[in-house]
Structures are given as C-alpha cells and as structure tokens.
Amino acid sequence: MAAVGTMAAMGPLPAMGALPPLPTLGVPGVPELKPLTRYEAMRLGPGWSHSCHAMLYAPNPGMLFGRIPLRYAVLMQMRFDGLLGFPGGFVDRRYWSLEDGLNRVLGLGLGCVRLTEADYLCSHLTEGPHRVVAHFYARQLTLEELHTIEISAVHSRDHGMEVMGMVRVPLYTQKDRMGGLPNFLANSFVGTAKFQLLFALKILNMVPEEKLAEAVAATQRPKKGALDHAGGAAGHHHKAGNELARAGNELGERAEHPGMLHGGAEQHLVGLEGEAEALEQQVGLGADEQGEGME
C-alpha cells in the first residue's frame, strides 16, 4: 500500500483560490523546515540540488516483552559516517526524474524495491549554505516484505561500505521515559533525516503528536538517574578499595614479622587473606555491573 501524498503532486496550479496551507511538524525543540509543493520544487531552477530519500515501514503486531506494542517496523540505516539516515541520495535532474533517480540509489543499497510518484510524501527546503530541496517518500509494506528487504540489503553493493546496516526505529517509550524512541532520537542524524522521521510519523498517524513531543523533550533533559547511578557506584568502589588496601597492608605487616603469628594469629591471617580475596571480587563485580548499567 502506497502512502498517500500529503503535498500537492506535480501538475498545474489551480486557476482560482489559494492553496491550502502545507502541513508542518509543530514539535517543540525541532526547528521547522520550509515546506513546498512538488510543483514548486520542480520549478526552482538549475541552481538547486534535489535529494530523495524513502521511509519503508510495515504494521507490526509484535509485543516487546509480551506487553509493549511495537506498532510499526520503520527502516533507517547506519551510514559510513556513523550518522543515521534514510535510504536514498542526490538525484541529477538533468538525467533522471525524482523517482528514477531515487530507485537507482535504492537499488544499490536495498536491491529489491521501486517507488513511484504515488509514494511521494513531502518536500522541504534545507537550512545551510547549499541550495537543496529534500524530497521524501514513504511506502507501506507487509512485515514479510520489509524483512525480505532487510535480508536483501545485506547482499547489496553498498553494504559494509557506504551503508553499515539497516536498523528499525523503536516507536514506543518505556516507563523510564527514555528507553525506546527518546533514546533513538538522541542519536546523530544526517541532514534532514530526523526532521523527516518525525514529520512522517506525525503525518501518517503512526505516533501521536503529543508522544513525539514528549520523546523529543526527553532527549533534551539531563540524564540525572544515570549520573546518580554512576556517582553511587564510584563511591561504593572507593570504599571497597580502601577496605582492600587496609586488609592488604595488615597482611603485609604480619608477613614481614613472622614472630607475631602466635596463638590464634594464624587463623586471623587466613581470615585477612579471605577478606582481601572477597573484596577483590566485590570490586571487580561492581565494575562489571556499572559498565552494564551505563551502556
């Protein structure tokens, strides 16, 4: 099922009356990009570059841990520069239509999908010194079709080179208000990719607008819980280290003065050795737990 385009498709402008206002993102904390129709974008002239990217998604009835609905599977990709983005790239309008150029790029990175003008979603002017129009497409597939594309992408020409791999976007938010979509949005995105993701999730009614706003706001708050956890773990390890040093010092002194080992002193020495070993294990285990908690 193709996504229904929300912007005006290319064609003659109405002879009378004004065009309805184009939809905007409207999420606090995310700068708006200037929307324009496909008709307007195609008539900007040769001084403008055109980029085309696509979001492939599918309804997903799965439940994470048996209780968190996944809602949809949405594909993005990890790029060669460590940034997240959507499949696609620049299209040379001298030789290709938007869709032909997009499908040529998709063929290199995915291998088995072709989009049409019916999948067109929106166009925006990008910020910055370069004159670029960012066109965005969205295609709804079945979960089986989406999985087939994920497998095909591993065998595409660009895999492991320009594309490090496909990833699915978590659309839920866990009880800590960071797990899921908020943590995902805290990653680094290329160009307009983050804006386009949020815009598509809103326009296609995949995530309620208030949930998008909450997820974005969560990424802008300091992670106090993580800092408190790290500080508490560091204090615990410091205390354990002091106890370990004390036991080691006492053990060393007794070893240097064998005459001190009379009566029950040998048993006390054995106790100190056991205490030192236990403290070493405690410090090592605590470090492992801290590493897991901070990932």
Side-chain angles (χ1 to χ4, degrees), residues 195-267:
F195 177 92
Q196 290 172 327
L197 171 63
L198 294 170
F199 186 86
L201 294 179
K202 172 188 174 180
I203 295 301
L204 298 176
N205 298 314
M206 298 170 69
V207 177
E209 185 175 349
E210 62 273 14
K211 295 297 183 182
L212 290 178
E214 291 174 4
V216 171
T219 66
Q220 299 169 350
R221 291 194 297 265
K223 298 182 180 180
K224 184 176 182 299
L227 294 175
D228 289 346
H229 174 77
H236 170 75
H237 295 153
H238 179 70
K239 181 180 178 181
N242 288 340
E243 293 177 358
L244 177 59
R246 178 190 59 78
N249 290 337
E250 189 172 348
L251 185 61
E253 290 177 1
R254 292 183 179 275
E256 291 177 0
H257 301 85
M260 297 176 60
L261 301 179
H262 55 80
E266 291 187 4
Q267 294 180 357

Side-chain angles (χ1 to χ4, degrees), residues 1-4 54-60 71-75 113-115 118-121 137-146 149 204-206:
M1 174 182 176
V4 178
M55 184 181 84
L56 305 177
Y57 67 101
N60 188 350
R71 300 170 59 85
Y72 292 91
V74 176
L75 290 188
V113 62
R114 289 189 61 83
L115 301 187
D119 301 308
Y120 170 80
L121 190 66
Y137 294 73
R139 165 76 67 85
Q140 178 175 317
L141 307 168
T142 67
L143 196 57
E144 292 74 18
E145 290 171 332
L146 198 76
I149 289 175
L204 298 176
N205 298 314
M206 298 170 69

Side-chain angles (χ1 to χ4, degrees), residues 62-98:
M63 301 284 284
L64 179 65
F65 306 131
R67 56 184 175 80
I68 302 176
L70 297 177
R71 300 170 59 85
Y72 292 91
V74 176
L75 290 188
M76 293 191 74
Q77 61 187 19
M78 177 62 69
R79 293 159 38 99
F80 64 94
D81 51 11
L83 301 176
L84 289 166
F86 286 102
F90 281 94
V91 173
D92 192 333
R93 288 280 296 131
R94 295 174 299 174
Y95 307 109
W96 309 92
S97 68
L98 293 180

Side-chain angles (χ1 to χ4, degrees), residues 121-162:
L121 190 66
C122 60
S123 297
H124 288 88
L125 297 180
T126 63
E127 297 180 340
H130 304 292
R131 307 176 77 187
V132 178
V133 185
H135 305 281
F136 198 53
Y137 294 73
R139 165 76 67 85
Q140 178 175 317
L141 307 168
T142 67
L143 196 57
E144 292 74 18
E145 290 171 332
L146 198 76
H147 185 54
T148 299
I149 289 175
E150 289 176 309
I151 296 174
S152 175
V154 176
H155 302 286
S156 68
R157 193 199 73 171
D158 284 347
H159 181 74
M161 300 294 289
E162 294 187 23

Side-chain angles (χ1 to χ4, degrees), residues 94-113:
R94 295 174 299 174
Y95 307 109
W96 309 92
S97 68
L98 293 180
E99 290 74 33
D100 287 342
L102 174 60
N103 287 323
R104 179 175 177 272
V105 179
L106 294 181
L108 301 177
L110 300 180
C112 59
V113 62

Side-chain angles (χ1 to χ4, degrees), residues 183-197:
N183 275 336
F184 187 85
L185 294 177
N187 287 300
S188 296
F189 294 77
V190 64
T192 59
K194 183 176 181 179
F195 177 92
Q196 290 172 327
L197 171 63

